Amino acid sequence: MTAFRKTFSSGGHASRSACRQTRQYSAPVDGSIPVAKQKYVPTTGTYPKGFLVSGTHVGVKASNTRFPDLALLTSERPASAAAVFTQNIFQAAPVTISRNILQKRSGEGIRSVIINSGCANAVTGKGGLEDATSMAASLDGLLPDSSSPDRTLVMSTGVIGQRLPIKKILQAVPKAVSNLENTHDSWLTTARSICTTDTFPKLLSMTFTLPSSPTITYSIAGMTKGAGMIHPNMATLLGILCTDAPIPASTLQPLLTHAVERSFNAISIDGSTSTNDTLAVLANGAAGGQPVTSPASEDGRAMQRLLTDFTQQLSQLVVRDGEGATKFVRVKVINSPSFADTKLIASSIARDPLVKTALYGKDANWGRILCAIGYTQGLSSSKTVIPARTSVSFVPTDGSEPLKLVVNGEPEAVDEMRAAQILAEEDLEILVDLGGGGDGTGKEEASYWFCDFSHEYVTINGDYRT
């Protein structure tokens, strides 16, 4: 198998007018990034050829008097596009409009994305659909070949049930277009402009090669937002990915769907799926090379690995910024007869409020983990989980030996002091070994990434609209 090379460029603001108590983990009211989160913000990046971005202040939310809240991303040439959307029945107007545009164009000829924060434009009736349409059309009209419509995807995030201040947004679009650039600062500003209760902008970029074009260096960049109301399907967030690799929409969609199932659909903060979830990817081919014509080709398989890895890293930034979160936790379930069942079990643990509060309290209450495994709904077989084959451990991130809690259904004598030391760290892995299931031969595994529940989470969401 031919290897492909990749190198990473390492890598919110919540407006609150009425803070009822001191918050230790949410965004400072002055918009500065908490010291503990600054390490996740990249200081440099390598961005795809032919893409321009900007972040502009509009004041969509009245309390936002100076932070950017209108994001634009545009390709200098027509691009292929693919997207995944929320499965919430109450889907926001931008979701409907963007889906229709992609279907109408079969994912080809897309030029740009426009996003506002501060108002979700969800549950806003016909007027909301008109507003979303006018946002997209306003950018279409300012692009080259302005006579060609339906080339812009639209996204919104913020409070549900309120109409957009559409006149303010439309008046700001020309200024946003004039601000378009391809510098690291412009990408970072754009990433910040889509934030709501986020404490830091979530941006990642990477270079890579493909087997058919080893001398061409491609780039991929992505930005996302989300800190609360996070759970598949798809997870409550917005995200944009773009690459200068040549990938037609017919290949791009299955690549994205596969990657999202193992990344953005494998994270949870509070078990709540929103109305606006949208993750889109654009590929403009500006770097040249052979088109990736099939997910099954050598290039397609390499791109699949790359995109899955990239989306996992990007989605994990959302978990690290969970509202009020103090811990970043991976739950890994191994040796299962079924991938689908494995993921269901991991999800059950990740969204269990008693597991999450125990982790916040640094309490090695492994009984809650077993309980979450045992009540998992929708398993394909009653033999997926056999209590006498099930083991649970805490895996420290320092590389030391795992702390065994339960082995083949039997409780271990837990070293409470060592457990307390492990749980005092910010990062933690919970390992669940199903022992192969009923016949002992299962080898499937899946991971979920989640955070704890703190007092802070209640405070943040208790006054979200105020």
Side-chain angles (χ1 to χ4, degrees), residues 205-249:
S205 64
M206 183 178 77
T207 61
F208 62 97
T209 61
L210 291 172
S212 68
S213 307
T215 62
I216 299 177
T217 299
Y218 296 107
S219 296
I220 185 171
M223 64 184 77
T224 188
K225 63 81 52 182
M229 235 185 180
I230 300 290
H231 189 72
N233 291 304
M234 193 196 58
T236 189
L237 51 83
L238 302 181
I240 318 169
L241 312 175
C242 58
T243 180
D244 49 19
I247 312 173

Side-chain angles (χ1 to χ4, degrees), residues 393-414:
S393 303
F394 285 155
V395 181
T397 56
D398 62 5
S400 59
E401 285 294 315
L403 177 64
K404 296 178 180 180
L405 306 172
V406 179
V407 176
N408 292 327
E410 296 288 339
E412 293 288 288
V414 177

Side-chain angles (χ1 to χ4, degrees), residues 7-92:
T7 57
F8 280 90
S9 299
S10 60
H13 168 69
S15 296
R16 291 285 187 265
S17 59
C19 296
R20 299 191 178 96
Q21 71 179 58
T22 301
R23 292 180 178 152
Q24 302 299 324
Y25 306 104
S26 54
V29 294
D30 64 358
S32 62
I33 299 170
V35 174
K37 304 294 180 68
Q38 291 175 6
K39 60 187 175 184
Y40 303 121
V41 181
T43 56
T44 61
T46 305
Y47 300 102
K49 297 178 179 68
F51 284 98
L52 303 171
V53 295
S54 70
T56 304
H57 174 256
V58 174
V60 172
K61 197 171 182 178
S63 57
N64 177 16
T65 59
R66 60 192 180 96
F67 297 109
D69 54 358
L70 181 67
L72 301 187
L73 178 145
T74 186
S75 174
E76 295 177 313
R77 55 194 288 174
S80 304
V84 289
F85 299 97
T86 181
Q87 294 185 30
N88 193 306
I89 293 175
F90 290 96
Q91 298 187 355

Side-chain angles (χ1 to χ4, degrees), residues 352 354-355 363-374 392 405-406:
D352 186 281
L354 294 181
V355 171
D363 180 8
N365 193 340
W366 53 262
R368 294 180 177 183
I369 298 171
L370 282 184
C371 183
I373 296 170
V392 178
L405 306 172
V406 179

